[in-house]
């Protein structure tokens, strides 16, 4: 999210390593580069389709708003399609984007929101999948209209792209459901805890900074590393660690996957991926001056006002990352942190 490689590391390390997730990742790799989105009819969008239990499937009403459609660039309006880019190769990132149980449909909160936006603008959604790096190549070349793939707004990226924010960029603590501890936004609440984190990730950087602060105050925070997410979860379920710290969406997904297990987990508190000084934001990403960011933001705000946005996030267990307003080119991570 801050660096392409860091994005992938954060997502992959944060995922619950279930066999279902691994099977879905394999299916996504085999799926190839492009796939046309499904689940959209005249004014209905099916969200959470073929999600392997990661979402509650629902059919949402999303009629065309002609006033918003009129704001589209003329070439996009005439073409009648919104080409939605996702950077999910070589493996998916539940619950954000991955291949569904039918082994062909791209599902997840990201393409589902893209489909709702397209429907609201009176456009047919077409999903194009690629690697993270090629996602931006697609936007640069015009082969992709807008990327919905967990892109964090940064000041550096704003030099080349326009953004329409739609979700908070948060990290979260995962705890056993029986554990009543909550983060509360204060690092001092971590005193005496043992926390697992992925090596080389943004969350590791933040956690180690908190560890230094606590040590300077005469308190202790133990940081543990594990070779894979499954090992981290086994340590959590076995009470060898108190918490795991990772990307909020990945933890939301893992919570759904452990719900019926002998050691169910919960989200015990979140923290902005941008740090204390700024709420990081995830945004739809379009080529600079393409004229797409404003109508996309307007469509998201329409969905927020009319409730479909909240229904989408609830279905994917991502309500904690909701924004109240979609902004065009909001403040992003400073260039020094990008």
């Amino acid at each position: 999210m801050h660096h392409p490689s860091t994005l992938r590391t954060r997502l992959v390390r944060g995922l619950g390593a279930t066999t279902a997730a691994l099977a879905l990742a394999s299916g996504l790799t085999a799926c190839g580069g492009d796939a046309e989105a499904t689940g959209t009819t005249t004014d209905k969008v099916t969200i959470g389709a073929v999600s392997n239990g990661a979402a509650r499937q629902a059919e949402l009403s999303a009629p065309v708003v002609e006033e918003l459609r009129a704001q589209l660039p003329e070439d996009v309006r005439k073409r009648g399609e919104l080409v939605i880019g996702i950077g999910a190769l070589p493996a998916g990132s539940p619950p954000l984007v991955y291949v569904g149980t039918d082994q062909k449909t791209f599902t997840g909160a990201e393409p589902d929101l893209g489909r709702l936006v397209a429907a609201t603008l009176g456009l047919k959604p077409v999903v194009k999948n690629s690697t993270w790096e090629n996602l931006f190549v697609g936007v640069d070349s015009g082969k992709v209209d807008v990327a919905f793939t967990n892109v964090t707004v940064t000041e550096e990226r704003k030099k080349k792209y326009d953004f329409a924010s739609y979700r908070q960029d948060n990290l979260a603590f995962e705890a056993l459901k029986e554990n009543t501890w909550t983060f509360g936004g204060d690092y001092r609440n971590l005193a005496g805890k043992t926390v697992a984190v992925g090596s080389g990730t943004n969350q590791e950087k933040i956690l180690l900074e908190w560890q230094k602060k606590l040590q300077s105050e005469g308190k202790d925070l133990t940081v543990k590393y594990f070779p894979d997410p499954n090992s981290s979860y086994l340590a959590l379920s076995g009470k060898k660690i108190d918490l795991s710290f990772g990307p909020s969406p990945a933890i939301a997904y893992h919570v759904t996957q452990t719900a019926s297990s002998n050691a169910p987990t919960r989200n015990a508190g979140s923290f902005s991926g941008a740090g204390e000084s700024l709420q990081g934001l995830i945004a739809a990403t379009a080529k600079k001056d393409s004229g797409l960011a404003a109508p996309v933001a307007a469509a998201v705000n329409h969905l927020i006002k009319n409730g479909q946005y909240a229904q989408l996030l609830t279905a994917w267990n991502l309500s904690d990352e909701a924004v109240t307003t979609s902004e065009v080119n909001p403040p992003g991570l400073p260039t020094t942190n990008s």
Side-chain angles (χ1 to χ4, degrees):
M1 294 157 77
H2 307 298
H3 300 283
S5 59
T6 303
L7 167 82
R8 293 194 300 273
T9 301
R10 280 177 53 184
L11 291 177
V12 172
R13 287 185 182 276
L15 294 178
T18 63
T19 54
L22 291 173
L24 291 174
S26 298
L28 183 58
T29 304
C31 221
D34 296 351
E36 191 166 308
T38 61
T40 299
T41 57
T42 306
D43 62 352
K44 302 283 186 181
V45 174
T46 301
I47 63 169
V50 293
S51 68
N52 196 43
R56 294 181 290 280
Q57 184 170 323
E59 189 176 72
L60 303 186
S61 175
V64 180
V65 180
E66 292 296 341
E67 179 183 351
L68 302 183
R69 178 177 168 80
Q71 297 178 24
L72 288 166
E74 185 177 2
D75 61 330
V76 176
R77 190 170 60 250
K78 286 184 176 179
R79 190 196 331 140
E81 292 181 342
L82 185 68
V83 182
I84 299 165
I86 56 173
L89 287 174
S93 301
L96 298 178
V97 59
Y98 58 106
V99 74
T101 51
D102 64 357
Q103 298 299 304
K104 64 179 181 180
T105 302
F106 288 114
T107 190
E110 305 285 58
D112 276 356
L113 179 59
R115 290 167 186 145
L116 283 168
V117 167
T120 302
L121 296 173
L123 301 172
K124 176 183 177 181
V126 176
V127 175
K128 290 203 170 201
N129 188 30
S130 67
T131 63
W132 171 263
E133 292 81 3
N134 285 335
L135 170 73
F136 292 94
V137 174
V139 174
D140 293 342
S141 67
K143 292 181 180 179
V144 168
D145 293 318
V146 60
F148 280 87
T149 191
N150 212 48
V151 180
T152 297
V153 181
T154 74
E155 291 303 313
E156 183 66 27
R157 287 175 181 159
K158 281 165 68 175
K159 296 174 183 178
K160 286 187 66 177
Y161 305 101
D162 285 330
F163 294 97
S165 59
Y166 61 81
R167 208 179 72 244
Q168 293 183 8
D169 173 17
N170 287 332
L171 302 168
F173 290 94
E174 184 174 14
L176 290 176
K177 194 172 183 179
E178 65 186 43
N179 184 347
T180 60
W181 180 92
T182 56
F183 176 55
D186 188 346
Y187 73 90
R188 286 167 289 196
N189 290 332
L190 290 166
K193 301 299 181 185
T194 299
V195 185
V197 72
S199 177
T201 61
N202 182 49
Q203 57 265 26
E204 180 199 27
K205 177 177 177 289
I206 291 172
L207 191 63
L208 292 180
E209 288 174 355
W210 287 335
Q211 185 185 49
K212 280 186 178 180
K213 287 183 178 181
L214 286 169
Q215 288 173 343
S216 70
E217 298 167 9
K219 300 172 184 176
D220 191 35
L221 164 61
T222 302
V223 178
K224 292 281 189 179
Y225 299 92
F226 294 90
D228 54 64
N230 192 47
S231 299
S232 177
Y233 171 64
L234 288 174
L236 184 63
S237 62
K239 300 183 180 180
K240 294 180 179 179
I241 60 173
D242 300 302
L243 307 160
S244 181
F245 190 38
S248 182
I251 285 175
Y253 173 73
H254 196 232
V255 167
T256 68
Q257 299 303 293
T258 64
S260 58
S261 73
N262 293 327
T265 63
R266 67 180 180 89
N267 183 323
S270 61
F271 186 76
S272 170
E276 290 181 332
S277 61
L278 179 70
Q279 174 58 62
L281 292 171
I282 303 297
T285 307
K287 190 175 183 179
K288 196 161 190 68
D289 300 324
S290 65
L292 280 167
V296 167
V300 173
N301 282 324
H302 175 81
L303 295 167
I304 291 173
K305 179 181 177 182
N306 288 278
Q308 298 99 325
Y309 172 80
Q311 289 175 284
L312 168 77
L313 293 187
T314 298
W316 285 103
N317 198 27
L318 294 174
S319 297
D320 288 347
E321 298 206 331
V323 296
T324 56
T325 304
S326 175
E327 301 175 77
V328 175
N329 293 329
L333 271 66
T335 302
T336 53
N337 291 345
S338 302

